[in-house]
PDB file of all heavy atoms in Angstrom:
ATOM      1  N   GLY S   1     340.892 238.827  44.108  1.00 92.00           N
ATOM      2  CA  GLY S   1     340.026 238.163  43.151  1.00 92.00           C
ATOM      3  C   GLY S   1     339.011 239.073  42.474  1.00 92.00           C
ATOM      4  O   GLY S   1     338.226 238.607  41.662  1.00 92.00           O
ATOM      5  N   MET S   2     339.016 240.353  42.800  1.00 91.00           N
ATOM      6  CA  MET S   2     338.066 241.267  42.151  1.00 91.00           C
ATOM      7  C   MET S   2     338.522 241.527  40.723  1.00 91.00           C
ATOM      8  O   MET S   2     339.699 241.728  40.448  1.00 91.00           O
ATOM      9  CB  MET S   2     337.956 242.591  42.903  1.00 91.00           C
ATOM     10  CG  MET S   2     337.123 242.506  44.159  1.00 91.00           C
ATOM     11  SD  MET S   2     336.851 244.087  44.956  1.00 91.00           S
ATOM     12  CE  MET S   2     335.417 244.660  44.089  1.00 91.00           C
ATOM     13  N   VAL S   3     337.560 241.537  39.818  1.00 93.00           N
ATOM     14  CA  VAL S   3     337.829 241.852  38.416  1.00 93.00           C
ATOM     15  C   VAL S   3     337.141 243.174  38.088  1.00 93.00           C
ATOM     16  O   VAL S   3     336.446 243.754  38.916  1.00 93.00           O
ATOM     17  CB  VAL S   3     337.350 240.713  37.492  1.00 93.00           C
ATOM     18  CG1 VAL S   3     338.157 239.449  37.732  1.00 93.00           C
ATOM     19  CG2 VAL S   3     335.886 240.434  37.674  1.00 93.00           C
ATOM     20  N   LEU S   4     337.327 243.646  36.877  1.00 94.00           N
ATOM     21  CA  LEU S   4     336.780 244.931  36.448  1.00 94.00           C
ATOM     22  C   LEU S   4     335.273 245.002  36.666  1.00 94.00           C
ATOM     23  O   LEU S   4     334.742 246.032  37.090  1.00 94.00           O
ATOM     24  CB  LEU S   4     337.122 245.180  34.981  1.00 94.00           C
ATOM     25  CG  LEU S   4     336.695 246.525  34.397  1.00 94.00           C
ATOM     26  CD1 LEU S   4     337.369 247.660  35.154  1.00 94.00           C
ATOM     27  CD2 LEU S   4     337.018 246.590  32.928  1.00 94.00           C
ATOM     28  N   LYS S   5     334.597 243.905  36.427  1.00 94.00           N
ATOM     29  CA  LYS S   5     333.143 243.834  36.625  1.00 94.00           C
ATOM     30  C   LYS S   5     332.759 244.149  38.064  1.00 94.00           C
ATOM     31  O   LYS S   5     331.775 244.848  38.320  1.00 94.00           O
ATOM     32  CB  LYS S   5     332.651 242.444  36.223  1.00 94.00           C
ATOM     33  CG  LYS S   5     331.223 242.141  36.528  1.00 94.00           C
ATOM     34  CD  LYS S   5     330.876 240.721  36.154  1.00 94.00           C
ATOM     35  CE  LYS S   5     331.187 239.829  37.317  1.00 94.00           C
ATOM     36  NZ  LYS S   5     330.555 238.517  37.259  1.00 94.00           N
ATOM     37  N   ASP S   6     333.538 243.679  39.018  1.00 92.00           N
ATOM     38  CA  ASP S   6     333.257 243.915  40.435  1.00 92.00           C
ATOM     39  C   ASP S   6     333.467 245.374  40.815  1.00 92.00           C
ATOM     40  O   ASP S   6     332.701 245.941  41.594  1.00 92.00           O
ATOM     41  CB  ASP S   6     334.113 243.011  41.313  1.00 92.00           C
ATOM     42  CG  ASP S   6     333.802 241.545  41.098  1.00 92.00           C
ATOM     43  OD1 ASP S   6     332.609 241.196  41.066  1.00 92.00           O
ATOM     44  OD2 ASP S   6     334.750 240.760  40.940  1.00 92.00           O
ATOM     45  N   TYR S   7     334.485 245.998  40.257  1.00 93.00           N
ATOM     46  CA  TYR S   7     334.714 247.423  40.524  1.00 93.00           C
ATOM     47  C   TYR S   7     333.590 248.268  39.926  1.00 93.00           C
ATOM     48  O   TYR S   7     333.144 249.238  40.541  1.00 93.00           O
ATOM     49  CB  TYR S   7     336.074 247.870  39.983  1.00 93.00           C
ATOM     50  CG  TYR S   7     337.226 247.320  40.775  1.00 93.00           C
ATOM     51  CD1 TYR S   7     338.033 246.304  40.261  1.00 93.00           C
ATOM     52  CD2 TYR S   7     337.512 247.807  42.041  1.00 93.00           C
ATOM     53  CE1 TYR S   7     339.092 245.801  40.989  1.00 93.00           C
ATOM     54  CE2 TYR S   7     338.570 247.304  42.785  1.00 93.00           C
ATOM     55  CZ  TYR S   7     339.359 246.305  42.245  1.00 93.00           C
ATOM     56  OH  TYR S   7     340.397 245.798  42.976  1.00 93.00           O
ATOM     57  N   PHE S   8     333.143 247.908  38.729  1.00 94.00           N
ATOM     58  CA  PHE S   8     332.011 248.608  38.124  1.00 94.00           C
ATOM     59  C   PHE S   8     330.762 248.431  38.978  1.00 94.00           C
ATOM     60  O   PHE S   8     329.976 249.365  39.132  1.00 94.00           O
ATOM     61  CB  PHE S   8     331.767 248.096  36.701  1.00 94.00           C
ATOM     62  CG  PHE S   8     330.577 248.722  36.050  1.00 94.00           C
ATOM     63  CD1 PHE S   8     330.625 250.029  35.603  1.00 94.00           C
ATOM     64  CD2 PHE S   8     329.396 248.013  35.908  1.00 94.00           C
ATOM     65  CE1 PHE S   8     329.517 250.622  35.014  1.00 94.00           C
ATOM     66  CE2 PHE S   8     328.292 248.588  35.322  1.00 94.00           C
ATOM     67  CZ  PHE S   8     328.347 249.897  34.862  1.00 94.00           C
ATOM     68  N   ASP S   9     330.600 247.269  39.541  1.00 92.00           N
ATOM     69  CA  ASP S   9     329.452 246.985  40.402  1.00 92.00           C
ATOM     70  C   ASP S   9     329.470 247.868  41.651  1.00 92.00           C
ATOM     71  O   ASP S   9     328.442 248.389  42.069  1.00 92.00           O
ATOM     72  CB  ASP S   9     329.472 245.505  40.790  1.00 92.00           C
ATOM     73  CG  ASP S   9     328.119 244.974  41.147  1.00 92.00           C
ATOM     74  OD1 ASP S   9     327.117 245.485  40.629  1.00 92.00           O
ATOM     75  OD2 ASP S   9     328.061 244.032  41.963  1.00 92.00           O
ATOM     76  N   VAL S  10     330.648 248.046  42.238  1.00 93.00           N
ATOM     77  CA  VAL S  10     330.782 248.942  43.393  1.00 93.00           C
ATOM     78  C   VAL S  10     330.410 250.364  42.983  1.00 93.00           C
ATOM     79  O   VAL S  10     329.688 251.063  43.706  1.00 93.00           O
ATOM     80  CB  VAL S  10     332.217 248.900  43.966  1.00 93.00           C
ATOM     81  CG1 VAL S  10     332.435 249.998  44.996  1.00 93.00           C
ATOM     82  CG2 VAL S  10     332.523 247.546  44.560  1.00 93.00           C
ATOM     83  N   LEU S  11     330.886 250.791  41.833  1.00 94.00           N
ATOM     84  CA  LEU S  11     330.562 252.123  41.335  1.00 94.00           C
ATOM     85  C   LEU S  11     329.064 252.277  41.115  1.00 94.00           C
ATOM     86  O   LEU S  11     328.458 253.263  41.544  1.00 94.00           O
ATOM     87  CB  LEU S  11     331.324 252.387  40.033  1.00 94.00           C
ATOM     88  CG  LEU S  11     331.071 253.732  39.376  1.00 94.00           C
ATOM     89  CD1 LEU S  11     331.667 254.846  40.222  1.00 94.00           C
ATOM     90  CD2 LEU S  11     331.655 253.749  37.980  1.00 94.00           C
ATOM     91  N   LEU S  12     328.448 251.305  40.480  1.00 93.00           N
ATOM     92  CA  LEU S  12     327.018 251.358  40.175  1.00 93.00           C
ATOM     93  C   LEU S  12     326.179 251.421  41.447  1.00 93.00           C
ATOM     94  O   LEU S  12     325.261 252.233  41.548  1.00 93.00           O
ATOM     95  CB  LEU S  12     326.614 250.128  39.348  1.00 93.00           C
ATOM     96  CG  LEU S  12     325.151 250.016  38.991  1.00 93.00           C
ATOM     97  CD1 LEU S  12     324.783 251.065  37.953  1.00 93.00           C
ATOM     98  CD2 LEU S  12     324.840 248.633  38.459  1.00 93.00           C
ATOM     99  N   HIS S  13     326.490 250.601  42.419  1.00 93.00           N
ATOM    100  CA  HIS S  13     325.709 250.575  43.654  1.00 93.00           C
ATOM    101  C   HIS S  13     326.086 251.711  44.601  1.00 93.00           C
ATOM    102  O   HIS S  13     325.323 252.040  45.508  1.00 93.00           O
ATOM    103  CB  HIS S  13     325.879 249.230  44.375  1.00 93.00           C
ATOM    104  CG  HIS S  13     325.204 248.102  43.680  1.00 93.00           C
ATOM    105  ND1 HIS S  13     323.846 247.894  43.749  1.00 93.00           N
ATOM    106  CD2 HIS S  13     325.690 247.113  42.883  1.00 93.00           C
ATOM    107  CE1 HIS S  13     323.534 246.827  43.036  1.00 93.00           C
ATOM    108  NE2 HIS S  13     324.633 246.340  42.499  1.00 93.00           N
ATOM    109  N   GLY S  14     327.249 252.327  44.407  1.00 94.00           N
ATOM    110  CA  GLY S  14     327.700 253.390  45.286  1.00 94.00           C
ATOM    111  C   GLY S  14     327.289 254.790  44.866  1.00 94.00           C
ATOM    112  O   GLY S  14     327.233 255.700  45.698  1.00 94.00           O
ATOM    113  N   VAL S  15     326.990 254.987  43.596  1.00 95.00           N
ATOM    114  CA  VAL S  15     326.644 256.325  43.090  1.00 95.00           C
ATOM    115  C   VAL S  15     325.456 256.944  43.829  1.00 95.00           C
ATOM    116  O   VAL S  15     325.511 258.124  44.177  1.00 95.00           O
ATOM    117  CB  VAL S  15     326.429 256.304  41.560  1.00 95.00           C
ATOM    118  CG1 VAL S  15     325.726 257.554  41.078  1.00 95.00           C
ATOM    119  CG2 VAL S  15     327.760 256.146  40.859  1.00 95.00           C
ATOM    120  N   PRO S  16     324.374 256.221  44.100  1.00 94.00           N
ATOM    121  CA  PRO S  16     323.277 256.861  44.835  1.00 94.00           C
ATOM    122  C   PRO S  16     323.693 257.408  46.198  1.00 94.00           C
ATOM    123  O   PRO S  16     323.243 258.481  46.605  1.00 94.00           O
ATOM    124  CB  PRO S  16     322.242 255.739  44.996  1.00 94.00           C
ATOM    125  CG  PRO S  16     322.516 254.807  43.889  1.00 94.00           C
ATOM    126  CD  PRO S  16     323.993 254.859  43.681  1.00 94.00           C
ATOM    127  N   PHE S  17     324.586 256.718  46.891  1.00 95.00           N
ATOM    128  CA  PHE S  17     325.040 257.186  48.194  1.00 95.00           C
ATOM    129  C   PHE S  17     325.957 258.403  48.056  1.00 95.00           C
ATOM    130  O   PHE S  17     325.933 259.297  48.897  1.00 95.00           O
ATOM    131  CB  PHE S  17     325.728 256.062  48.963  1.00 95.00           C
ATOM    132  CG  PHE S  17     324.792 254.936  49.282  1.00 95.00           C
ATOM    133  CD1 PHE S  17     324.862 253.740  48.592  1.00 95.00           C
ATOM    134  CD2 PHE S  17     323.826 255.088  50.252  1.00 95.00           C
ATOM    135  CE1 PHE S  17     323.991 252.705  48.871  1.00 95.00           C
ATOM    136  CE2 PHE S  17     322.945 254.056  50.544  1.00 95.00           C
ATOM    137  CZ  PHE S  17     323.025 252.864  49.845  1.00 95.00           C
ATOM    138  N   VAL S  18     326.741 258.443  46.987  1.00 96.00           N
ATOM    139  CA  VAL S  18     327.574 259.622  46.714  1.00 96.00           C
ATOM    140  C   VAL S  18     326.680 260.822  46.422  1.00 96.00           C
ATOM    141  O   VAL S  18     326.935 261.931  46.906  1.00 96.00           O
ATOM    142  CB  VAL S  18     328.545 259.351  45.547  1.00 96.00           C
ATOM    143  CG1 VAL S  18     329.262 260.612  45.121  1.00 96.00           C
ATOM    144  CG2 VAL S  18     329.537 258.264  45.924  1.00 96.00           C
ATOM    145  N   LEU S  19     325.615 260.605  45.654  1.00 95.00           N
ATOM    146  CA  LEU S  19     324.670 261.692  45.365  1.00 95.00           C
ATOM    147  C   LEU S  19     323.973 262.168  46.634  1.00 95.00           C
ATOM    148  O   LEU S  19     323.769 263.376  46.823  1.00 95.00           O
ATOM    149  CB  LEU S  19     323.630 261.238  44.344  1.00 95.00           C
ATOM    150  CG  LEU S  19     324.126 261.024  42.916  1.00 95.00           C
ATOM    151  CD1 LEU S  19     323.014 260.454  42.056  1.00 95.00           C
ATOM    152  CD2 LEU S  19     324.665 262.304  42.327  1.00 95.00           C
ATOM    153  N   LEU S  20     323.621 261.244  47.528  1.00 96.00           N
ATOM    154  CA  LEU S  20     322.985 261.621  48.787  1.00 96.00           C
ATOM    155  C   LEU S  20     323.950 262.425  49.659  1.00 96.00           C
ATOM    156  O   LEU S  20     323.571 263.454  50.236  1.00 96.00           O
ATOM    157  CB  LEU S  20     322.506 260.381  49.535  1.00 96.00           C
ATOM    158  CG  LEU S  20     321.795 260.623  50.862  1.00 96.00           C
ATOM    159  CD1 LEU S  20     320.511 261.415  50.645  1.00 96.00           C
ATOM    160  CD2 LEU S  20     321.505 259.308  51.553  1.00 96.00           C
ATOM    161  N   LEU S  21     325.188 261.999  49.752  1.00 96.00           N
ATOM    162  CA  LEU S  21     326.190 262.722  50.513  1.00 96.00           C
ATOM    163  C   LEU S  21     326.405 264.116  49.923  1.00 96.00           C
ATOM    164  O   LEU S  21     326.489 265.105  50.661  1.00 96.00           O
ATOM    165  CB  LEU S  21     327.504 261.937  50.544  1.00 96.00           C
ATOM    166  CG  LEU S  21     328.650 262.555  51.323  1.00 96.00           C
ATOM    167  CD1 LEU S  21     328.282 262.678  52.801  1.00 96.00           C
ATOM    168  CD2 LEU S  21     329.901 261.734  51.154  1.00 96.00           C
ATOM    169  N   ARG S  22     326.456 264.216  48.609  1.00 95.00           N
ATOM    170  CA  ARG S  22     326.597 265.503  47.924  1.00 95.00           C
ATOM    171  C   ARG S  22     325.435 266.421  48.260  1.00 95.00           C
ATOM    172  O   ARG S  22     325.629 267.594  48.569  1.00 95.00           O
ATOM    173  CB  ARG S  22     326.670 265.275  46.417  1.00 95.00           C
ATOM    174  CG  ARG S  22     326.679 266.514  45.589  1.00 95.00           C
ATOM    175  CD  ARG S  22     326.360 266.173  44.118  1.00 95.00           C
ATOM    176  NE  ARG S  22     325.851 267.309  43.442  1.00 95.00           N
ATOM    177  CZ  ARG S  22     324.579 267.678  43.389  1.00 95.00           C
ATOM    178  NH1 ARG S  22     323.672 266.966  44.011  1.00 95.00           N
ATOM    179  NH2 ARG S  22     324.201 268.739  42.736  1.00 95.00           N
ATOM    180  N   LEU S  23     324.238 265.889  48.226  1.00 95.00           N
ATOM    181  CA  LEU S  23     323.052 266.684  48.516  1.00 95.00           C
ATOM    182  C   LEU S  23     323.040 267.163  49.965  1.00 95.00           C
ATOM    183  O   LEU S  23     322.722 268.327  50.237  1.00 95.00           O
ATOM    184  CB  LEU S  23     321.799 265.853  48.218  1.00 95.00           C
ATOM    185  CG  LEU S  23     320.474 266.567  48.138  1.00 95.00           C
ATOM    186  CD1 LEU S  23     320.515 267.694  47.122  1.00 95.00           C
ATOM    187  CD2 LEU S  23     319.380 265.596  47.769  1.00 95.00           C
ATOM    188  N   ILE S  24     323.429 266.310  50.892  1.00 95.00           N
ATOM    189  CA  ILE S  24     323.495 266.698  52.305  1.00 95.00           C
ATOM    190  C   ILE S  24     324.535 267.800  52.509  1.00 95.00           C
ATOM    191  O   ILE S  24     324.268 268.799  53.187  1.00 95.00           O
ATOM    192  CB  ILE S  24     323.803 265.470  53.185  1.00 95.00           C
ATOM    193  CG1 ILE S  24     322.606 264.525  53.205  1.00 95.00           C
ATOM    194  CG2 ILE S  24     324.179 265.892  54.603  1.00 95.00           C
ATOM    195  CD1 ILE S  24     322.891 263.178  53.832  1.00 95.00           C
ATOM    196  N   LEU S  25     325.708 267.634  51.907  1.00 95.00           N
ATOM    197  CA  LEU S  25     326.751 268.650  52.048  1.00 95.00           C
ATOM    198  C   LEU S  25     326.329 269.981  51.442  1.00 95.00           C
ATOM    199  O   LEU S  25     326.587 271.038  52.024  1.00 95.00           O
ATOM    200  CB  LEU S  25     328.054 268.163  51.417  1.00 95.00           C
ATOM    201  CG  LEU S  25     328.758 267.027  52.150  1.00 95.00           C
ATOM    202  CD1 LEU S  25     329.967 266.548  51.364  1.00 95.00           C
ATOM    203  CD2 LEU S  25     329.154 267.456  53.542  1.00 95.00           C
ATOM    204  N   LEU S  26     325.693 269.953  50.290  1.00 92.00           N
ATOM    205  CA  LEU S  26     325.210 271.190  49.672  1.00 92.00           C
ATOM    206  C   LEU S  26     324.195 271.893  50.563  1.00 92.00           C
ATOM    207  O   LEU S  26     324.244 273.115  50.727  1.00 92.00           O
ATOM    208  CB  LEU S  26     324.589 270.909  48.302  1.00 92.00           C
ATOM    209  CG  LEU S  26     325.555 270.637  47.170  1.00 92.00           C
ATOM    210  CD1 LEU S  26     324.792 270.238  45.906  1.00 92.00           C
ATOM    211  CD2 LEU S  26     326.422 271.847  46.896  1.00 92.00           C
ATOM    212  N   ARG S  27     323.285 271.136  51.142  1.00 92.00           N
ATOM    213  CA  ARG S  27     322.279 271.737  52.031  1.00 92.00           C
ATOM    214  C   ARG S  27     322.930 272.336  53.268  1.00 92.00           C
ATOM    215  O   ARG S  27     322.540 273.415  53.714  1.00 92.00           O
ATOM    216  CB  ARG S  27     321.221 270.714  52.442  1.00 92.00           C
ATOM    217  CG  ARG S  27     320.424 270.164  51.312  1.00 92.00           C
ATOM    218  CD  ARG S  27     319.580 271.229  50.680  1.00 92.00           C
ATOM    219  NE  ARG S  27     318.992 270.679  49.466  1.00 92.00           N
ATOM    220  CZ  ARG S  27     318.020 271.213  48.809  1.00 92.00           C
ATOM    221  NH1 ARG S  27     317.505 272.342  49.199  1.00 92.00           N
ATOM    222  NH2 ARG S  27     317.563 270.648  47.706  1.00 92.00           N
ATOM    223  N   LEU S  28     323.919 271.652  53.836  1.00 93.00           N
ATOM    224  CA  LEU S  28     324.606 272.177  55.018  1.00 93.00           C
ATOM    225  C   LEU S  28     325.377 273.449  54.681  1.00 93.00           C
ATOM    226  O   LEU S  28     325.382 274.410  55.463  1.00 93.00           O
ATOM    227  CB  LEU S  28     325.544 271.127  55.603  1.00 93.00           C
ATOM    228  CG  LEU S  28     324.875 269.950  56.299  1.00 93.00           C
ATOM    229  CD1 LEU S  28     325.919 268.922  56.718  1.00 93.00           C
ATOM    230  CD2 LEU S  28     324.059 270.405  57.481  1.00 93.00           C
ATOM    231  N   ILE S  29     326.018 273.480  53.538  1.00 92.00           N
ATOM    232  CA  ILE S  29     326.763 274.676  53.116  1.00 92.00           C
ATOM    233  C   ILE S  29     325.807 275.836  52.888  1.00 92.00           C
ATOM    234  O   ILE S  29     326.075 276.960  53.328  1.00 92.00           O
ATOM    235  CB  ILE S  29     327.602 274.372  51.857  1.00 92.00           C
ATOM    236  CG1 ILE S  29     328.748 273.429  52.214  1.00 92.00           C
ATOM    237  CG2 ILE S  29     328.123 275.651  51.226  1.00 92.00           C
ATOM    238  CD1 ILE S  29     329.475 272.856  51.025  1.00 92.00           C
ATOM    239  N   LEU S  30     324.690 275.567  52.212  1.00 89.00           N
ATOM    240  CA  LEU S  30     323.717 276.630  51.978  1.00 89.00           C
ATOM    241  C   LEU S  30     323.124 277.134  53.285  1.00 89.00           C
ATOM    242  O   LEU S  30     322.891 278.334  53.453  1.00 89.00           O
ATOM    243  CB  LEU S  30     322.605 276.141  51.045  1.00 89.00           C
ATOM    244  CG  LEU S  30     323.002 275.946  49.592  1.00 89.00           C
ATOM    245  CD1 LEU S  30     321.839 275.333  48.809  1.00 89.00           C
ATOM    246  CD2 LEU S  30     323.444 277.244  48.965  1.00 89.00           C
ATOM    247  N   LEU S  31     322.896 276.242  54.221  1.00 87.00           N
ATOM    248  CA  LEU S  31     322.369 276.629  55.527  1.00 87.00           C
ATOM    249  C   LEU S  31     323.375 277.508  56.271  1.00 87.00           C
ATOM    250  O   LEU S  31     323.008 278.517  56.873  1.00 87.00           O
ATOM    251  CB  LEU S  31     322.037 275.383  56.351  1.00 87.00           C
ATOM    252  CG  LEU S  31     321.433 275.602  57.720  1.00 87.00           C
ATOM    253  CD1 LEU S  31     320.063 276.257  57.583  1.00 87.00           C
ATOM    254  CD2 LEU S  31     321.305 274.282  58.449  1.00 87.00           C
ATOM    255  N   LYS S  32     324.643 277.133  56.211  1.00 88.00           N
ATOM    256  CA  LYS S  32     325.682 277.902  56.876  1.00 88.00           C
ATOM    257  C   LYS S  32     325.804 279.296  56.255  1.00 88.00           C
ATOM    258  O   LYS S  32     325.927 280.290  56.964  1.00 88.00           O
ATOM    259  CB  LYS S  32     327.019 277.158  56.776  1.00 88.00           C
ATOM    260  CG  LYS S  32     328.132 277.776  57.557  1.00 88.00           C
ATOM    261  CD  LYS S  32     329.379 276.917  57.497  1.00 88.00           C
ATOM    262  CE  LYS S  32     330.496 277.532  58.295  1.00 88.00           C
ATOM    263  NZ  LYS S  32     331.704 276.714  58.250  1.00 88.00           N
ATOM    264  N   ILE S  33     325.739 279.369  54.929  1.00 86.00           N
ATOM    265  CA  ILE S  33     325.828 280.656  54.241  1.00 86.00           C
ATOM    266  C   ILE S  33     324.623 281.530  54.579  1.00 86.00           C
ATOM    267  O   ILE S  33     324.777 282.721  54.849  1.00 86.00           O
ATOM    268  CB  ILE S  33     325.943 280.443  52.710  1.00 86.00           C
ATOM    269  CG1 ILE S  33     327.311 279.859  52.375  1.00 86.00           C
ATOM    270  CG2 ILE S  33     325.724 281.750  51.959  1.00 86.00           C
ATOM    271  CD1 ILE S  33     327.454 279.418  50.941  1.00 86.00           C
ATOM    272  N   SER S  34     323.446 280.940  54.600  1.00 85.00           N
ATOM    273  CA  SER S  34     322.252 281.732  54.908  1.00 85.00           C
ATOM    274  C   SER S  34     322.269 282.217  56.357  1.00 85.00           C
ATOM    275  O   SER S  34     321.801 283.310  56.651  1.00 85.00           O
ATOM    276  CB  SER S  34     320.983 280.932  54.623  1.00 85.00           C
ATOM    277  OG  SER S  34     320.861 279.859  55.521  1.00 85.00           O
ATOM    278  N   ASN S  35     322.819 281.431  57.280  1.00 82.00           N
ATOM    279  CA  ASN S  35     322.945 281.865  58.673  1.00 82.00           C
ATOM    280  C   ASN S  35     323.917 283.032  58.807  1.00 82.00           C
ATOM    281  O   ASN S  35     323.688 283.962  59.571  1.00 82.00           O
ATOM    282  CB  ASN S  35     323.389 280.725  59.572  1.00 82.00           C
ATOM    283  CG  ASN S  35     322.270 279.753  59.870  1.00 82.00           C
ATOM    284  OD1 ASN S  35     321.096 280.069  59.714  1.00 82.00           O
ATOM    285  ND2 ASN S  35     322.635 278.551  60.275  1.00 82.00           N
ATOM    286  N   LYS S  36     325.022 282.985  58.038  1.00 80.00           N
ATOM    287  CA  LYS S  36     325.990 284.075  58.081  1.00 80.00           C
ATOM    288  C   LYS S  36     325.384 285.371  57.545  1.00 80.00           C
ATOM    289  O   LYS S  36     325.581 286.435  58.121  1.00 80.00           O
ATOM    290  CB  LYS S  36     327.237 283.720  57.265  1.00 80.00           C
ATOM    291  CG  LYS S  36     328.189 282.800  57.968  1.00 80.00           C
ATOM    292  CD  LYS S  36     329.430 282.595  57.139  1.00 80.00           C
ATOM    293  CE  LYS S  36     330.406 281.692  57.846  1.00 80.00           C
ATOM    294  NZ  LYS S  36     331.633 281.487  57.053  1.00 80.00           N
TER     295      LYS S  36
END
């Protein structure tokens, strides 16, 4: 029963969490590189 509007809604509400995950991964990679 999901329509295009519902998928857009998932995208809209999910983007902040994707950005947070991206930021965490970038920090972990930079930390690993600096340790090496």
Side-chain angles (χ1 to χ4, degrees):
M2 283 186 86
V3 294
L4 184 61
K5 172 183 88 163
D6 297 314
Y7 289 107
F8 177 74
D9 205 29
V10 170
L11 179 69
L12 178 71
H13 289 282
V15 165
F17 296 106
V18 172
L19 290 175
L20 181 63
L21 181 63
R22 174 196 157 272
L23 194 55
I24 290 170
L25 290 175
L26 284 174
R27 298 294 171 166
L28 289 175
I29 290 169
L30 288 175
L31 182 65
K32 187 175 181 180
I33 290 171
S34 68
N35 284 341
K36 281 184 179 180

